[in-house]
Amino acid sequence: MRAPVSWLREFVAIPSDQDGRAIAEKLINAGLEVETVETLGAGVIGPLVVGHVVGIEELTEFKKPIRWCQVNVGVEHGGVRGVICGARNFVQGDLVVVALPGTELPGGFKIAQRETYGKLSDGMICSARELGLGDDHDGIIILASDHVVGEDAKPIVGVGEEILDIAVTPDRGYALSIRGLARELAIAYDLDFVDPGLELAQLPAPSGTSVPVACSSEDEQACALFTLRTVTGFNPGAPSPAWMQKRLVACGMRPVSLAVDVTNYVMLELGQPLHAFDVNKLQGSIRVGHVADGTVIETLDHVERTLNRDDLVILDNRGPIGLAGTMGGFATEIDESTTAIALEAAYFDDGSVARMARRHKLSSEASRRFERGVDRVLAPYASARATALLLEFGGGDYVGMTAVEAPLEPTVIDLPASQAGEIAGMQIHTTTVIRLLQAVGCEVDASTDVLRVGVPSWRSDITDPANLVEEVIRLIGFDEIPSRLPTAAVGHGLSTSQRLRRRVGMALAARGGVEVLNYPFVGEAEFDALRIAPNDARRSSVKLANPMNDEQPFIRASLLPGLIAAAKRNLSRGSDDLCIYELGSVVRSGMGAPVARPSVTQKPSDDAWAGLNAMLPIQSTSIAVLLAGQHSQQTWSTVARNYDWADVIEIAMNIAHTTGADLRVGPGNDESFHPGRCAQLTVSGVEVGVAGELHPRVIEALGLPARSCALEMDFDEVIARSASSRPAPAVSAQPVAKEDIALIVPESVNTAAVTSSIIEGAGELLESVRLFDIYRGQQVPQGSRSLAFALRFRASDRTLEAAEIASARQSAIDLVIQRHGATLRGA
Amino acid sequence: MSGPNTSFDPKQVSALSAESVDAVVADALGAIAGAASLADLKEVRLAHAGDRSPLALANREIGALPPAAKAEAGKRMGIARGQIKDALDQRESDLQALRDEQVLNEETVDVTLPVDRSPMGGRHPLTTLMERICDVFIAMGYDVAEGPEIEADWVNFDALNVPPDHPARTMQDTFYVESPDSGVVLRTQTSPIQIRAMLERDVPIYVVAPGRVFRTDELDATHTPVFHQVEGLAVDEGLTMADLKGTLDHFAQEMFGAGIRTRLRPSYFPFTEPSAEIDLQCFVCRGESISNPDKSCRTCGSEGWIEWGGCGMVNPRVLTAVGIDSSRYRGFAFGMGIERTLMFRNGVTDMRDMVEGDVRFTRAFGLES
Ligand SMILES: [Zn+2]
């Protein structure tokens, strides 16, 4: 809402020393978000005066027509001056705005006496654009004839006018009007306020020359008040007065015609949207109601709209002629030949208008106001004001008013007098509560400790005691509220998941990982690039109706596409070696069945709550890592080495070690990974993820460095299977016995299987086993390799004897031989 | 092989005379002093203090002395051997020091060589900032609450007093899942976590709720469709706006330094009543930049205050929707944007830096923001 300060001053006597900024400050403190304070014609410096065009000589010898004008700017400014002018929208005798030499216009344009077109031009006749007042038209400004030659023209054209631009929150519908803002200022400055909305304009008695257009409402729920005032014999050519146009422009609206300008002007002033019909285009009387689905109407904006049976429409005998409170129809629009006007002013229900505006994606000045609640009783007052303006400037006969109205049900709220103070946390005297509520416009019955508060008709947002409390506290000022710390309950600290997410983040960052937070939006192209099969669950089934990008309508079921995109951004910026990770939410199922919306007037039942949750896809936390490029570079102390599959498995082990999960690695199978370099990750026999080298085709399709590696694990599954507390190990101080064994094992048997057989076979004396060498070559048969393990034996209570060690070693060897078809090397 | 002398022989015992012992000692001390290296010294030690050294040999003769002379000779020998041993030890320690100085000097390295064998990574500053904020509230007895990013619109809107056709729904441009009527959205705010906390926990409730939220804004220097908020909620008997103010002041001080205050301005949120915008006193200029061109402040644009978030007393309608008796309990809630906080707190000037995952940006923060 743009509000010119001069218009506000018309309704409230703001002290003259208060400029736009000071006024804005008051409004901000009252909760109105003033975004800017703009000064019209801010760049105009120096004299701007009213001039009288006393002579025009057309100069025709130039490429374009030029006028040599004689303009009287008053004896005090040197009388008649010659001025060159290129505009043609004025005639001899008009009053115009003249910038005298010495004046500076917006953009630093200085006016001076100058030779041009063979004449000495001694000033400039100004257009609104040149004065920075708007850029609607190039014509020069023509002033009303009642101004005095030589007078200061700045206030007349609005130079120096300050405009407040206010972002009105949805609860403050009344603030979408000069009337509502003026009331707030009256409260803020503690001034008297005479409500212009409830002063009925004086209209002549109905002429009786014809009958006013009749009206009726078929839906009193949605339209509780509908009024029509009819004017005939109106002069369609009469212009709207300059002051009205000036204000409309200042408020960001475009002057159109007297009838349209008046409806807009009164809407801005009082907050009541109005609509003017051309009576001669109407067929019979006007009704408010509904039409069958599929009925078509062409609205003022020349769009054909297919109506829904829930739309609230204005109808005449032929059919729909407007969307109630949203936009009028084209067929009954007033135009340059309209002489009979039916002026609609009504109260439409906020929900009806909101739904309709949303359904038709149509937001107008009217719908914006109705959605936020228009004053329930204002319609006849606003239409009287508008009719008076039409008659004043357009002539014609007032024929009369027709109206339908449902019974008025005022809102009355019981408010314990102490409640505002209790919520604010400070003493607020009852007399203060009453005074402030009255200032807002409430009627207060204070005969008991529970105040009975009648809510004013323009505050449809006030429905609960809490709303009244807010009014009281905001008008006292939030600065007055003391500051004090409550005693919170006893907390539980972080949950296991929260704690472990932090720990894992630390562990990954400490070994060089860099966290990235990617958007969750993915698309088919990424699924295809990752070779994800058509029916795979990672082709997420959770799809957005209105994605940012049509190529990425899905919500991720895997973190890898996001990590890959981040990797490519980094690579393109010259970061060649990457270890990046993300810990974030993914979907693990499709959508559940939709359920009915529970009521908000009570707690949803357990079933209803479960139903709402079952409607959502399963969402869990995933962790993923991507490695690309070099693990280490060639430096004075290191040799160059690329990341490889073992690095990424080590990171998986690292994560598991951090959370306390007993992670097992086995051969895996995943379309996105190299078929021979993919590991399945399990905890307690449950698959929790996959790790390894990405498939060469994936790497190629995505343009990643060769041998890029990745892992992804279901973090929730990992921590669900992590030890909640870990038993302390028995640390023996007895001597250790070291034994090495080398076993020739078929390639088909993996190391993990051999290792667990060694552990099982060696028994409890075995403290640790470590693979230290792999050999393939002459002494080993084709299809096998030799695995060399270092075994450490130790007892908790004694030095082991050689025979015990030999026996345990042999048992380990025997089991591997028996189970895996291995042979002992060198045996 | 010569064994100890057990028969008295004056000729032989002349080696034990004071003169000859002094001469042996002088000879030894000279050799010790002349040893140029630890290897030399080792030979000197063998020659002058070893089993076959003159003193050792002489010592064997003590048995041959008459009993009356034994004590004196023994004493003389002890002193002599002590002198030689002390000299050897001293020389050895001198030579060791000399060698150390030489060798260790040769082993000197350039300790300013770059050591980046296992460079540190970094956690995202948004993550660590959220953790830091949570820690402030955990210390005050709050728990950390969370909720799903894909949320029922009943939880995201209806229960928060935003009915289906309310204009407030259009204040936040919402991502809808599948179809606008599916009843499922990407949460537009962390406030639905409040609803979950109130439905799933018993009063009194004190929770802080960080999370990722979504609105259909194009990515540019100041907007992103995916961003983070942190939200606080307290529901208890007798809570007031004064408690809310005190909590915010404490929070501001923990995050931005002692003495930093907050200021509330009336505003509108459907789920709080009264509602307010939270302004943070500028922690850089502390207001000294206001109307003072000499001390202009980039952090607050010389306004003295920084817009930080929103807050208010929980609307009783919200309590009703989750079955909390609003005649007995009151609540307060507040929330702020994490990206915005990081921008003014750490001087991030472009939203895209926090979104694009450039490792150079994140690594600079290490493990803290
Ligand atoms: Zn500052």
Side-chain angles (χ1 to χ4, degrees), chain A residues 212-280:
Chain A
V213 179
C215 63
S216 58
S217 171
E218 292 167 0
D219 185 347
E220 286 195 347
Q221 205 65 34
C223 172
L225 171 63
F226 192 90
T227 70
L228 271 181
R229 286 187 201 267
T230 306
V231 172
T232 59
F234 177 76
N235 171 13
S240 47
W243 55 263
M244 186 182 288
Q245 294 194 22
K246 196 174 75 185
R247 280 189 173 165
L248 290 174
V249 170
C251 291
M253 298 186 103
R254 194 190 161 93
V256 178
S257 68
L258 174 59
V260 172
D261 292 355
V262 164
T263 57
N264 284 333
Y265 187 83
V266 174
M267 176 182 70
L268 292 172
E269 185 172 80
L270 301 179
Q272 172 70 54
L274 299 163
H275 183 71
F277 295 100
D278 185 332
V279 172
N280 294 321

Side-chain angles (χ1 to χ4, degrees), chain B residues 282-287 289 297-304:
Chain B
C282 179
F283 55 94
V284 175
C285 68
R286 298 202 174 213
S289 65
C297 176
R298 281 173 58 199
T299 302
C300 64
S302 299
E303 301 270 343

Side-chain angles (χ1 to χ4, degrees), chain A residues 263-441:
Chain A
T263 57
N264 284 333
Y265 187 83
V266 174
M267 176 182 70
L268 292 172
E269 185 172 80
L270 301 179
Q272 172 70 54
L274 299 163
H275 183 71
F277 295 100
D278 185 332
V279 172
N280 294 321
K281 295 178 183 173
L282 289 171
Q283 292 278 314
S285 64
I286 287 182
R287 293 177 288 134
V288 185
H290 300 276
V291 291
D293 282 340
T295 311
V296 174
I297 181 176
E298 182 180 355
T299 41
L300 279 178
D301 52 1
H302 299 283
V303 175
E304 294 217 334
R305 298 177 190 273
T306 305
L307 297 173
N308 178 291
R309 85 188 94 147
D310 293 331
D311 288 337
L312 188 67
V313 291
I314 314 297
L315 301 129
D316 69 1
N317 290 354
R318 260 186 312 200
I321 55 171
L323 302 177
T326 306
M327 190 174 275
F330 174 66
T332 54
E333 184 188 20
I334 51 169
D335 58 33
E336 60 281 358
S337 62
T338 300
T339 58
I341 292 170
L343 190 66
E344 168 205 304
Y347 175 82
F348 301 115
D349 165 63
D350 48 2
S352 300
V353 173
R355 278 189 294 277
M356 188 159 57
R358 208 158 55 112
R359 208 177 283 129
H360 296 287
K361 296 190 169 60
L362 184 61
S363 180
S364 64
E365 291 285 337
S367 71
R368 237 158 48 84
R369 286 174 172 78
F370 280 116
E371 282 179 37
R372 286 161 174 76
V374 164
D375 186 341
R376 166 67 178 78
V377 305
L378 181 62
Y381 297 92
S383 95
R385 166 90 168 120
T387 304
L389 288 168
L390 288 175
L391 295 175
E392 181 181 353
F393 297 102
D397 289 335
Y398 174 54
V399 179
M401 179 174 95
T402 58
V404 283
E405 181 170 13
L408 184 63
E409 287 162 21
T411 306
V412 177
I413 299 170
D414 287 342
L415 176 71
S418 59
Q419 193 167 321
E422 285 163 11
I423 289 175
M426 64 186 194
Q427 274 286 330
I428 303 177
H429 207 274
T430 303
T431 54
T432 307
V433 174
I434 295 168
R435 175 175 59 81
L436 292 172
L437 289 176
Q438 284 171 338
V440 167

Side-chain angles (χ1 to χ4, degrees), chain B residues 274-330:
Chain B
S275 300
E277 301 284 345
I278 306 164
D279 289 341
L280 175 74
Q281 187 186 28
C282 179
F283 55 94
V284 175
C285 68
R286 298 202 174 213
E288 285 187 16
S289 65
I290 304 171
S291 312
N292 189 350
D294 295 340
K295 291 192 173 177
S296 71
C297 176
R298 281 173 58 199
T299 302
C300 64
S302 299
E303 301 270 343
W305 296 90
I306 302 164
E307 285 185 30
W308 196 19
C311 68
M313 300 301 289
V314 178
N315 193 317
R317 284 180 181 241
V318 173
L319 297 177
T320 302
V322 295
I324 292 176
D325 179 0
S326 64
S327 67
R328 181 168 169 204
Y329 296 101
R330 278 198 298 264

